[in-house]
Amino acid sequence: MSAKNPTRRNVLKTVGGLSAALALGGGGVLAAAGTAAAVGDGFGLRIVDRNEADARMWYYRFQTAAIGWNPGVNVLLPDDYHWSGRTYPVLYLLHGGGTDQDFITFDREGVRAWTAGRPIIVVMPDGGHAGWYSNPVSSNVGPRNWEQFHISQLIPWIDANFRTYAEYDGRAVSGFSMGGFGALKYAAKYYGHFASVSAHSGPASLRRDNGLVGHWANASSAALDLNGGTVYGVPFWDEARVSADNPVQRIESYRNKRVFLVAGTSPDPINWFDTANETQVLAGQREFRSLLGNAGIPHEWYELPGGHFIRHDMMQRDIDGVIDRLRKA
């Protein structure tokens, strides 16, 4: 999804950003506002709400034909973005499922601290309460095409509006829970987009245990997002779509990527949701790791005490690893 001439585009944006900062003494509030004026519509996205008052965390909400409501995104900029003139790698960070999860999730968890002083842009988009980073087979509430929104619209929009490396070695994707699945799916299905992929308590196998994760994707999407519609179809799955999305069936697509996996080994025994989620995550990641190992594909993995939650130390380790893998700012 690179622009036709990303080098020229980045030079123009760099010069524009530097001129605004220099004219106002470098990096002040007015300099940031001058740079922000360049952020506009495109790729099927029309900005309907925005906030660029914070020096690092910029917020946008879009109208798009891909989604029947206006999804939001947080774009976390490096500390020196407004005055450095540098081009940066990008991490797409995907939230989990549930009514308490959205594009603000990682800001609440501490992403500003994890990235302080680090040369990377972090993009955190909405993915629905149970969107599963997919274009659903059916919807009774209008379009909920999260895969189209993220891959065909948001990524090129980010590259057009921010100083990014619009290339394979310039992007990583990571996520928690449903977002970890989304990261594994996107990295395999769109091989040339991401050089690093990470799943924090994210399921890696849709079909194991009689398709438990696939059935959960259908049930949760029907209840929370699609008013009875489903991601993969009921009573019969769209088998080709499941196979295309299933990480354990796309092993060769992870070759030459950085792969980072985290799973919990001891979910809360009296919390059925925690137990059901992390037990399945752990089993699926072990299956996935075995297949990667048999194929000779390097990967970094951690099995840690606890259940289904975001581990801040692992997020920090992951972000540092992403920066080491991607093209340098």
Side-chain angles (χ1 to χ4, degrees):
M1 289 299 175
S2 302
K4 291 182 179 178
N5 193 341
T7 302
R8 179 176 180 273
R9 187 195 71 245
N10 284 329
V11 168
L12 289 173
K13 287 193 291 183
T14 298
V15 171
L18 280 176
S19 64
L22 289 172
L24 294 161
V29 173
L30 291 178
T35 307
V39 177
D41 301 341
F43 305 95
L45 301 178
R46 184 172 71 85
I47 299 169
V48 295
D49 194 21
R50 66 200 297 163
N51 190 327
E52 294 146 342
D54 188 278
R56 293 191 63 203
M57 188 71 81
W58 288 4
Y59 150 79
Y60 302 91
R61 193 171 289 280
F62 306 107
Q63 184 179 77
T64 168
I67 307 296
W69 52 275
N70 298 335
V73 63
N74 271 341
V75 181
L76 182 61
L77 302 171
D79 299 286
D80 63 356
Y81 183 85
H82 301 296
W83 54 265
S84 71
R86 294 199 289 175
T87 300
Y88 297 88
V90 182
L91 167 62
Y92 288 83
L93 192 53
L94 310 180
H95 67 77
T99 55
D100 61 341
Q101 299 280 308
D102 58 18
F103 72 97
I104 303 175
T105 292
F106 291 105
D107 195 18
R108 292 191 294 257
E109 292 286 339
V111 69
R112 300 186 200 214
W114 306 335
T115 56
R118 289 167 168 81
I120 193 166
I121 294 170
V122 184
V123 178
M124 295 160 282
D126 266 327
H129 295 317
W132 286 89
Y133 299 93
S134 298
N135 300 333
V137 168
S138 62
S139 170
N140 295 318
V141 290
R144 294 293 187 272
N145 296 314
W146 294 106
E147 189 171 341
Q148 177 188 349
F149 169 57
H150 296 136
I151 300 298
S152 301
Q153 296 182 320
L154 184 63
I155 290 176
W157 183 86
I158 290 290
D159 288 335
N161 285 287
F162 297 90
R163 298 195 309 274
T164 67
Y165 291 118
E167 62 189 56
Y168 176 76
D169 285 317
R171 298 193 200 98
V173 61
S174 177
F176 166 67
S177 190
M178 180 184 77
F181 165 77
L184 291 173
K185 167 187 168 171
Y186 284 170
K189 201 170 183 179
Y190 303 95
Y191 179 86
H193 284 60
F194 306 103
S196 175
V197 56
S198 313
H200 296 258
S201 289
S205 179
L206 290 173
R207 297 185 185 277
R208 70 171 293 111
D209 298 329
N210 297 311
L212 183 59
V213 172
H215 289 307
W216 176 245
N218 274 342
S220 59
S221 64
L224 297 180
D225 273 4
L226 303 174
N227 192 27
T230 63
V231 170
Y232 292 117
V234 292
F236 302 108
W237 287 357
D238 182 328
E239 296 292 351
R241 185 174 301 202
V242 173
S243 296
D245 288 1
N246 196 5
V248 297
Q249 293 181 258
R250 302 295 302 267
I251 294 301
E252 280 302 313
S253 297
Y254 300 97
R255 194 172 295 280
N256 301 318
K257 296 183 186 292
R258 170 184 175 268
V259 180
F260 184 95
L261 304 166
V262 177
T265 59
S266 53
D268 184 348
I270 62 172
N271 183 332
W272 73 266
F273 185 82
D274 191 56
T275 298
N277 269 282
E278 206 62 15
T279 298
Q280 187 61 212
V281 162
L282 181 61
Q285 285 198 10
R286 284 175 173 174
E287 177 186 352
F288 183 56
R289 283 163 25 204
S290 175
L291 293 168
L292 291 173
N294 291 340
I297 298 175
H299 52 286
E300 183 178 354
W301 58 272
Y302 299 88
E303 293 186 0
L304 299 168
H308 199 69
F309 58 86
I310 296 173
R311 292 167 169 81
H312 293 188
D313 57 334
M314 288 292 103
M315 280 289 181
Q316 183 73 78
R317 184 186 292 268
D318 184 19
I319 289 170
D320 291 344
V322 164
I323 293 170
D324 286 343
R325 169 60 182 87
L326 297 188
R327 186 173 174 183
K328 301 301 181 284

